[in-house]
């Protein structure tokens, strides 16, 4: 009988192969981009969510907005009760794929100074959220 000595693999090797799919959180509350800021704040408060995924009328993810940002918008001088989420989100994205490695996604998040990133499928539907550990 021959003994085989096992060498543990370095942790960074496993991290390099792990994908966003392994680390993402459930999608959580989703709201439509035609919803007003005030209603979105109510949804966030009632669901106790720090962030909401925003989708268009076709169900495609258009972005992510935090409860904190919604509060800042509501408290601004330019706020009206008719202001819709699509008016404050700007361009679509950024997003990540569930097949992106965690290392790549974390690098992109640090570069863009993001704490969370929506995870979408090939069609653009929200699958979850990748959030940096606090």
């Amino acid at each position: 009988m021959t003994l085989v000595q096992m060498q543990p693999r370095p942790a960074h090797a496993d991290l390099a192969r792990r994908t966003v799919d392994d680390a993402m959180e459930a999608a959580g509350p989703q709201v439509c981009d035609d919803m007003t800021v005030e209603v979105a704040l109510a949804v966030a408060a009632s669901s106790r969510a720090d962030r909401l995924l925003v989708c268009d009328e076709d169900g495609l993810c258009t972005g992510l907005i935090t409860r904190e940002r919604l509060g800042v918008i509501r408290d601004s001088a330019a706020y009206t009760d008719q202001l819709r989420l699509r008016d404050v989100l700007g361009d679509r994205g950024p997003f990540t794929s569930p097949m992106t490695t965690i290392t790549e996604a974390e690098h992109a998040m640090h570069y863009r100074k993001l704490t969370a990133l929506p995870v979408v499928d090939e069609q653009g539907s929200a699958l979850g959220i990748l959030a940096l550990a606090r």
Side-chain angles (χ1 to χ4, degrees):
M1 180 196 265
T2 305
L3 292 175
V4 177
Q5 186 170 359
M6 300 295 288
Q7 299 262 340
R9 285 187 290 185
H12 62 82
D14 287 336
L15 187 59
R17 284 190 295 234
R18 289 188 57 212
T19 63
V20 168
D21 190 46
D22 299 323
M24 71 180 181
E25 302 170 6
Q30 294 184 28
V31 293
C32 192
D33 65 357
D34 69 347
M35 183 178 284
T36 64
V37 168
E38 194 66 36
V39 173
L41 266 167
V43 169
S46 67
S47 65
R48 297 184 179 155
D50 291 331
R51 58 183 84 86
L52 301 170
L53 282 168
V54 183
C55 299
D56 64 13
E57 64 276 356
D58 297 321
L60 302 179
C61 187
T62 58
L64 181 121
I65 194 158
T66 64
R67 187 189 322 184
E68 179 182 359
R69 182 161 176 231
L70 288 167
V72 168
I73 292 165
R74 183 192 55 200
D75 296 340
S76 73
Y79 174 76
T80 72
D81 62 355
Q82 299 300 311
L83 192 59
R84 307 239 175 243
L85 291 177
R86 71 169 62 106
D87 301 329
V88 298
L89 273 181
D91 295 334
R92 276 182 72 111
F95 308 104
T96 192
S97 160
M99 301 313 293
T100 304
T101 66
I102 292 173
T103 304
E104 291 170 328
E106 284 179 343
H107 176 73
M109 291 171 74
H110 284 296
Y111 179 77
R112 292 180 175 209
K113 296 181 172 88
L114 300 172
T115 58
L117 196 57
V119 181
V120 299
D121 63 15
E122 301 83 30
Q123 289 78 36
S125 298
L127 299 173
I129 297 173
L130 181 66
L132 292 177
R134 296 177 186 203

